[in-house]
Amino acid sequence: MPFNPPSIDLTVLGMPALLMAWGMLVLLIDLFTSNQRVLATVSLIGLIATAGVGLLTWGTQRTAFFDMVVLDNFGTVVNWILLGATALSILLALDYLPRQNLMRGEFYALLLFATSGMLLLVQANDLVMIFIGVELLSISLYVLTGFAVPRISSGEAAMKYLLLGAFAAGFLVYGIALIYGFVAANDAISSTSLTAISQDLAAKQAAGIAINDPIILTGLGFVLIALGFKVSMVPFHAWTPDVYEGAPTPITAYMSVTTKGAALVAIIRLLTVAFAALRPEWQFIFAILAALTMTYGNIVAIAQKNLKRMLAYSSIAHAGYMLMGVLSASPLGASAFVIYLVAYALTNIGAFAVLTTLENRGMAALELQDLRGLYRRHPWLSVAMVIFMFSLAGVPLTAGFMGKFAVFQAAWDADLKWLVLVGVLTSVISAFFYLRVTVQMFMEEPVSAEAAERPVFATAPLVVGLTIAVVGIIILGVVPSQVLNFVNNTVVAAAR
Amino acid sequence: MSEISTNAYVLVSAILFTIGVIGVMTRRNAIIMFMSVELMLNSANLALIAFSRAKASTDGQIITFFVIAVAAAEVAVGLALLVSIFRAKRTTNVDDVSTLKG
């Protein structure tokens, strides 16, 4: 077998490569200064520079490294959303870390490494790249989850996340091995690239060989189990509430949005590029899992007293709604997913930002009743929280409504009308616990005189983050047409 | 000496993978759970190399290197976490470390 030296095409890999280099730079700067503001500023500049690379390569559509990585506008748009979510999380973390006595410089470097793993996952066009992307983001996140050690809940959350994450990685690798075993070797491009898989399946179909072979179905199932674990799809969600509760709040905000987004893009590419031929096999199962995810997340969230736990279950439910867009397996579904991701990123990070302002040092858990009378303590904060809760519930004139509308439309077009019905019903259920938060803030008296006096840490970076989130939600909710057109045009053009 | 067929290798790897899965699900000591995860990853490596030989394609062997490197990174983080938890709690049993519930 002749050895073909790989063609190095850094344009395609520009965004993840630059961000990873920048993460190393932050790590280096950490040697010389312990000023958190400097590190955070450098990280923010890195995120903006990476987004700029996306702007420079805009419109390019090609694959590189033996078809292992792909650059297209769809991936770039999702990358921008992930970078924005990371930037918002840094704003959340800036004053939270010193307050909680978590002043360690690796924080921002790890955050950038995790994000570069996500960008790689979004641009992955090969099972191996999916594996590397998933592991890069996961291993960084294991450490970030355990960042509040010696607080035992943080260490415990990290341990649970790591054990179950490694378990899922085992499934991912074995699934890759099985798929590799089934498809024929490809000399021109990587045998495990999504393009090679789709070519091989098409060739087998043309030759009359059955492609719904148990080996490839098991392999696909295993890979989807591992990605579903990252998305926290029911029944692979068990880690989510514990990890989200134990992790430092800015990290919870960060991973509840970005991990889901990146893993869902990998699922979209896997299902629509590589396994489009097996659509009858996966679509129905996925629809049932999406319905279960929405129902389970929303119903269990009702019973939660702890705010972070409640938002964790709500994030499981939102993963279900995003899955609706994914499993529609159409350009409309992909653009609906992107719109939902924007709305969800702004809303969920905003909601966690409010929790960040209320968390005192050494306070492990924030209970629902701690919100009582927040309106008197900090009116603007409670108004922002109301907007976030309305957007999470999908009330019209908020971004959340546009997101839900888009995914419902995509699922309806894909002839999954019963799934739309489940989605609407569970949204109604979810309004109950989101509105309960509002009632607590405006209509209840504080539990004690001491609780009424607790400080609110609405510092400048947090106010900036909250403002961005609120303005984004309102713009997307009230005048969505510009954003909708932009996303539709880019994603549909990419699919053509 | 007759050659061992690819099927035999894949069968062994499937058995090892199942042992790993059962290990993670039934054992409660975090270190044993890590070992079981390693078994799962290495069973996949075995399958990859068997397939790689059967097809005379080197892709599978290269994937194996990636898997080994990532597994090492994962274990490094895992053991570090375990040490920090052990310092606080004096146990490696995952059932003894469960403050998060609801």
Side-chain angles (χ1 to χ4, degrees):
Chain A
M1 221 177 333
F3 174 72
N4 308 318
S7 53
I8 307 291
D9 188 350
L10 273 180
T11 323
V12 172
L13 216 50
M15 294 176 90
L18 177 66
L19 197 61
M20 190 167 307
W22 210 284
M24 292 175 192
L25 181 72
V26 172
L27 213 50
L28 267 181
I29 295 175
D30 178 41
L31 280 177
F32 302 106
T33 174
S34 56
N35 188 337
Q36 298 289 302
R37 301 239 158 202
V38 174
L39 295 173
T41 315
V42 173
S43 309
L44 283 174
I45 294 170
L47 293 171
I48 293 166
T50 311
V53 170
L55 212 55
L56 290 177
T57 56
W58 183 256
T60 336
Q61 177 156 17
R62 66 164 183 269
T63 57
F65 299 103
F66 297 112
D67 243 31
M68 292 179 95
V69 196
V70 63
L71 175 70
D72 55 9
N73 284 356
F74 170 55
T76 306
V77 169
V78 177
N79 279 352
W80 281 338
I81 300 171
L82 299 180
L83 292 168
T86 313
L88 284 177
S89 310
I90 289 181
L91 292 178
L92 258 65
L94 247 177
D95 288 317
Y96 177 90
L97 295 179
R99 201 161 72 236
Q100 300 280 338
N101 205 10
L102 303 176
M103 300 274 271
R104 271 165 278 179
E106 317 90 280
F107 185 88
Y108 297 105
L110 281 168
L111 209 55
L112 295 195
F113 288 145
T115 312
S116 68
M118 286 162 192
L119 304 191
L120 198 61
L121 186 56
V122 166
Q123 290 186 243
N125 195 41
D126 187 292
L127 294 174
V128 182
M129 278 299 126
I130 290 179
F131 172 65
I132 300 290
V134 164
E135 289 305 309
L136 186 51
L137 79 89
S138 303
I139 293 176
S140 311
L141 277 177
Y142 301 149
V143 183
L144 286 171
T145 306
F147 217 75
V149 165
R151 196 179 81 205
I152 193 69
S153 65
S154 175
E156 179 193 336
M159 199 68 215
K160 282 181 176 168
Y161 195 18
L162 188 134
L163 278 173
L164 289 171
F167 189 51
F171 277 95
L172 181 57
V173 177
Y174 205 79
I176 293 173
L178 288 178
I179 294 173
Y180 173 67
F182 183 79
V183 299
N186 196 321
D187 286 335
I189 51 177
S190 162
S191 302
T192 43
S193 88
L194 303 185
T195 329
I197 294 170
S198 79
Q199 282 170 5
D200 182 69
L201 291 182
K204 283 203 167 64
Q205 226 168 7
I209 302 170
I211 54 166
N212 54 355
D213 188 270
I215 289 193
I216 193 145
L217 290 183
T218 316
L220 176 60
F222 278 10
V223 172
L224 289 178
I225 285 175
L227 291 173
F229 173 87
K230 293 291 161 208
V231 178
S232 59
M233 175 172 76
V234 172
F236 315 111
H237 63 278
W239 58 278
T240 315
D242 287 354
V243 172
Y244 284 13
E245 188 188 336
T249 312
I251 292 303
T252 311
Y254 170 72
M255 69 180 165
S256 68
V257 172
T258 49
T259 321
K260 287 188 188 12
L264 281 166
V265 173
I267 295 181
I268 290 181
R269 292 207 199 272
L270 194 67
L271 293 182
T272 56
V273 178
F275 291 99
L278 285 170
R279 184 176 172 146
E281 317 285 340
W282 53 255
Q283 194 170 40
F284 184 65
I285 298 173
F286 243 78
I288 289 180
L289 291 182
L292 280 177
T293 309
M294 292 184 281
T295 317
Y296 176 86
N298 280 327
I299 286 178
V300 181
I302 295 176
Q304 300 307 315
K305 296 269 183 290
N306 181 304
L307 273 170
K308 268 168 105 178
R309 253 188 131 72
M310 190 199 92
L311 284 176
Y313 282 107
S314 118
S315 87
I316 296 178
H318 284 280
Y321 295 114
M322 283 190 268
L323 274 173
M324 276 174 84
V326 169
L327 64 91
S328 304
S330 58
L332 189 66
S335 79
F337 156 73
V338 173
I339 292 160
Y340 202 103
L341 187 62
V342 179
Y344 176 65
L346 291 169
T347 314
N348 219 38
I349 295 183
F352 276 110
V354 175
L355 298 198
T356 312
T357 61
L358 299 176
E359 230 174 284
N360 288 306
R361 178 184 285 192
M363 204 160 141
L366 201 59
E367 301 292 319
L368 193 56
Q369 58 184 15
D370 290 333
L371 282 182
R372 284 188 187 173
L374 182 66
Y375 178 64
R376 305 251 180 75
R377 278 155 70 199
H378 207 296
W380 288 112
L381 204 59
S382 45
V383 168
M385 190 64 166
V386 169
I387 293 173
F388 299 140
M389 288 300 127
F390 277 13
S391 180
L392 281 174
V395 175
L397 295 183
T398 59
F401 174 75
M402 288 319 300
K404 283 211 171 106
F405 184 76
V407 291
F408 290 164
Q409 195 183 21
W412 190 271
D413 272 23
D415 214 22
L416 290 162
K417 299 192 169 64
W418 64 272
L419 192 59
V420 177
L421 196 66
V422 174
V424 173
L425 287 177
T426 52
S427 297
V428 174
I429 295 173
S430 75
F432 173 72
F433 61 85
Y434 292 130
L435 293 183
R436 196 171 57 185
V437 172
T438 316
V439 172
Q440 295 278 334
M441 286 189 302
F442 284 87
M443 296 176 191
E444 301 273 346
E445 292 298 321
V447 270
S448 62
E450 182 266 326
E453 297 297 312
R454 272 194 207 130
V456 177
F457 301 95
T459 51
L462 260 166
V463 171
V464 172
L466 279 170
T467 315
I468 295 172
V470 168
V471 170
I473 288 168
I474 289 173
I475 288 178
L476 200 58
V478 179
V479 278
S481 54
Q482 295 284 330
V483 184
L484 290 182
N485 284 339
F486 173 72
V487 171
N488 274 328
N489 287 339
T490 50
V491 174
V492 174
R496 208 179 288 131
Chain B
M1 211 171 86
S2 68
E3 203 171 81
I4 301 168
S5 73
T6 308
N7 279 345
Y9 282 113
V10 176
L11 190 66
V12 171
S13 89
I15 293 170
L16 287 176
F17 184 77
T18 317
I19 295 173
V21 172
I22 294 171
V24 175
M25 296 206 289
T26 56
R27 303 303 289 265
R28 280 292 149 265
N29 185 316
I31 294 177
I32 309 252
M33 288 169 84
F34 271 128
M35 285 163 55
S36 305
V37 167
E38 287 299 303
L39 199 56
M40 289 168 72
L41 292 173
N42 283 323
S43 73
N45 287 344
L46 181 62
L48 279 168
I49 291 171
F51 285 132
S52 175
R53 190 193 64 161
K55 297 160 184 276
S57 120
T58 47
D59 293 3
Q61 302 180 27
I62 294 165
I63 301 174
T64 309
F65 285 128
F66 280 100
V67 176
I68 292 171
V70 166
E74 211 157 41
V75 167
V77 171
L79 291 180
L81 270 173
L82 207 61
V83 168
S84 81
I85 288 180
F86 187 78
R87 279 191 190 136
K89 284 257 179 178
R90 293 279 147 199
T91 177
T92 53
N93 188 317
V94 286
D95 287 339
D96 294 342
V97 189
S98 70
T99 52
L100 299 164
K101 277 206 177 71

